[in-house]
Amino acid sequence: MEQMRRLLIKNAKALVGTFPVGAQRAAGAAMAQLPMIEDGWLLAEDGRISGLGSMSNFPGITDWSDLTVIDATGRYVLPGWCDPHTHTVFAAPREEEFVDKIKGLSYQDIAARGGGILNSAMKLRAMSEDDLFAQAKSRLEEMMRQGTVAVEIKSGYGLTLESELKMLRVAHRLKEALPLQIKTTLLAAHALPPEFKEDRAAYIDLICNEMIPQVAGEKLADFVDVFCETNYFTALEMERVLEAGAKHGLPGKVHVNQFTSIGAIQAAVKHKALSVDHLEVMEETDLDALVGSNVMPTLLPSCSFFLRIPYAPARQVIDRGLPVALASDHNPGSTPSGNLNLVLSLACIQLRLLPEEAITALTLNAAAAMLVEDDLGSLAIGKRASLLITREIPSLAYLPYAFGADHLDTVLIDGKPVRSGEVLR
Ligand code: NIG
Ligand code: FE
């Protein structure tokens, strides 16, 4: 199976997400126009999609040698899920805070007691690179089995030059070790480290003058991020980091409006950030600021679910003609799950996205939110054959509807199975 060079999927109930070659993202009403080919076939060669169409136009294949054939009768074929916002490299879970939350403490209460991000930072600083790597690898292997074919991974639990570099190096080793696509983000501005309690400006200087140049020089990150939030970093501080990132070719993907609205969206739009993520607390003026910009609103409904905080106003975003991407936010504090199938269900149930909109948000738009849209996010000739084949399900809406169940049969990355169900023979 490993050497599978040519792969034919035939009789698919539908090929889903067959956007035209070159489609970059879908916004507003177009998000519900998810293109599909019913009763379809798809051919992949050397890990890339080389042909697709309807069985009524099935190609005359003359050379059947060296061809693996999957009969997908009754099953859907979709582009693999992309996860453009995670913190998957971390040292330890935080179940004790979970129990404190059940007893009534909020995310902010826990952080004020020295828990939260700083708790994770102390543990990460003490952990070896090899241990961090081994843990993150098994998390990512599980995410791949659940259909994730690309993931963005942030630093942000180091909060020193040395430990932030350690996290990014681990992410790069994961890139070498695993077949999924990985993009990395420097999130040194995740929380103010205790060493800088009396001098915030000095920490921002360290990020802008030392961390960003070094990380960019060693090509350890693709993006920069800031947790722009009350008690974390201000919009002005975020602007400084975005400016320094831009100077070194690192676009911004930023945490904004999770708990409070403090001008972060306007600042992110001004600095042409690639994405603004969270958006649980949005004023009308925040929504207005997004209109006409190119920034990708990226929503994280499993974070709202876990923290019992409001869900982002996804319908208002889409109704203004804007695109929406979805991500897991996988991290030990606010979202200890990297399961994008659950995100799909929560997006439909809680954000009121139509199944077609949610699938667009987890594929085409999620790929755009991490700059892998030339390779992933749709079924189009030339893109990577990183695909999901479902089990037999009655309709596409059944996928988010029957939440919590596993509807995937096969997950392929670059044409190779990372999970093969009964259908793959
Ligand atoms: O996206 N909001 C900031 N960062 C993470 C949580 C990090 C943590 O609690 O460890 C988030 O929710
Ligand atoms: Fe996050």
Side-chain angles (χ1 to χ4, degrees):
M1 205 58 82
E2 267 302 295
Q3 310 76 348
M4 198 162 69
R5 198 185 74 71
R6 292 166 73 224
L7 168 72
L8 173 69
I9 303 171
K10 60 175 192 178
N11 299 326
K13 185 163 178 147
L15 305 177
V16 177
T18 50
F19 289 93
V21 172
Q24 301 278 304
R25 52 172 68 188
M31 282 189 67
Q33 309 300 315
L34 180 65
M36 286 184 227
I37 298 175
E38 279 175 28
D39 196 18
W41 62 270
L42 182 146
L43 188 66
E45 290 175 87
D46 295 323
R48 298 261 168 187
I49 299 171
S50 57
L52 77 180
S54 148
M55 288 303 288
S56 57
N57 295 315
F58 191 62
I61 292 178
T62 45
D63 177 11
W64 289 81
S65 64
D66 187 25
L67 180 70
T68 305
V69 181
I70 297 176
D71 186 343
T73 300
R75 306 158 202 262
Y76 291 91
V77 178
L78 297 99
W81 307 135
C82 294
D83 195 341
H85 180 139
T86 84
H87 311 247
T88 297
V89 173
F90 58 83
R94 306 208 304 255
E95 312 85 291
E96 60 301 335
E97 295 180 2
F98 169 62
V99 175
D100 287 340
K101 275 190 221 111
I102 294 170
K103 291 179 182 160
L105 292 189
S106 70
Y107 183 83
Q108 295 95 322
D109 295 333
I110 289 164
R113 297 197 313 189
I117 295 166
L118 293 181
N119 172 358
S120 282
M122 294 312 134
K123 290 178 181 148
L124 184 131
R125 287 177 185 183
M127 187 172 271
S128 77
E129 215 172 289
D130 284 347
D131 286 348
L132 279 172
F133 171 81
Q135 281 197 23
K137 182 163 174 279
S138 73
R139 286 180 206 122
L140 286 168
E141 283 164 345
E142 183 178 356
M143 287 159 75
M144 289 192 296
R145 284 194 294 276
Q146 293 167 338
T148 301
V149 302
V151 67
E152 179 255 20
I153 301 176
K154 300 172 190 298
S155 68
Y157 294 122
L159 311 180
T160 62
L161 174 62
E162 181 200 348
S163 297
E164 290 289 302
L165 289 174
K166 175 167 79 174
M167 289 187 76
L168 293 172
R169 276 197 302 265
V170 167
H172 275 259
R173 278 178 62 191
L174 293 163
K175 218 192 245 195
E176 302 299 311
L178 296 170
L180 84 173
Q181 296 299 297
I182 295 180
K183 293 276 186 172
T184 55
T185 301
L186 175 70
L187 173 56
H190 199 192
L192 189 68
E195 306 84 76
F196 287 87
K197 217 170 162 189
E198 305 307 324
D199 195 357
R200 315 178 51 85
Y203 188 56
I204 301 293
D205 285 343
L206 175 69
I207 294 172
C208 296
N209 303 336
E210 292 183 46
M211 293 193 193
I212 290 176
Q214 178 152 354
V215 159
E218 293 184 30
K219 297 203 182 323
L220 278 174
D222 304 291
F223 310 109
V224 288
D225 191 352
V226 176
F227 187 16
C228 186
E229 185 55 63
T230 307
N231 294 332
Y232 291 85
F233 295 95
T234 66
L236 278 176
E237 289 167 339
M238 180 180 74
E239 290 200 44
R240 282 202 55 205
V241 175
L242 290 178
E243 263 167 34
K247 227 167 48 191
H248 289 86
L250 306 180
K253 284 175 65 59
V254 287
H255 284 73
V256 299
N257 294 50
Q258 183 176 5
F259 301 107
T260 53
S261 167
I262 56 170
I265 303 241
Q266 291 75 0
V269 167
K270 175 173 147 198
H271 288 275
K272 300 195 165 35
L274 175 64
S275 72
V276 283
D277 303 17
H278 275 289
L279 315 188
E280 288 87 348
V281 176
M282 294 288 278
E283 309 279 350
E284 283 296 314
T285 49
D286 296 323
L287 288 161
D288 291 342
L290 292 172
V291 177
S293 79
N294 247 338
V295 66
M296 180 65 78
T298 301
L299 310 184
L300 315 167
S302 40
C303 173
S304 296
F305 172 71
F306 185 78
L307 292 185
R308 292 184 209 91
I309 62 174
Y311 285 86
R315 282 261 57 96
Q316 291 183 52
V317 176
I318 294 175
D319 291 348
R320 285 179 191 236
L322 294 162
V324 159
L326 289 163
S328 73
D329 198 15
H330 188 202
N331 76 76
S334 74
T335 322
S337 161
N339 188 339
L340 291 175
N341 305 292
L342 178 64
V343 170
L344 182 76
S345 288
L346 288 173
C348 295
I349 298 163
Q350 298 288 359
L351 302 180
R352 290 178 171 271
L353 261 55
L354 296 168
E356 293 81 2
E357 291 173 324
I359 291 170
T360 302
L362 265 182
T363 55
L364 190 69
N365 288 354
M370 57 186 291
L371 294 186
V372 293
E373 67 269 38
D374 290 341
D375 269 337
L376 294 166
S378 62
L379 303 186
I381 290 174
K383 286 201 177 183
R384 291 177 183 273
S386 294
L387 316 169
L388 314 180
I389 305 175
T390 66
R391 296 181 177 165
E392 278 197 39
I393 51 174
S395 68
L396 199 56
Y398 190 84
L399 207 56
Y401 156 83
F403 74 94
D406 182 4
H407 303 302
L408 300 183
D409 179 272
T410 299
V411 179
L412 300 161
I413 294 187
D414 296 342
K416 292 192 190 116
V418 295
R419 162 185 177 170
S420 40
E422 51 187 292
V423 71
L424 196 69
R425 291 181 202 104

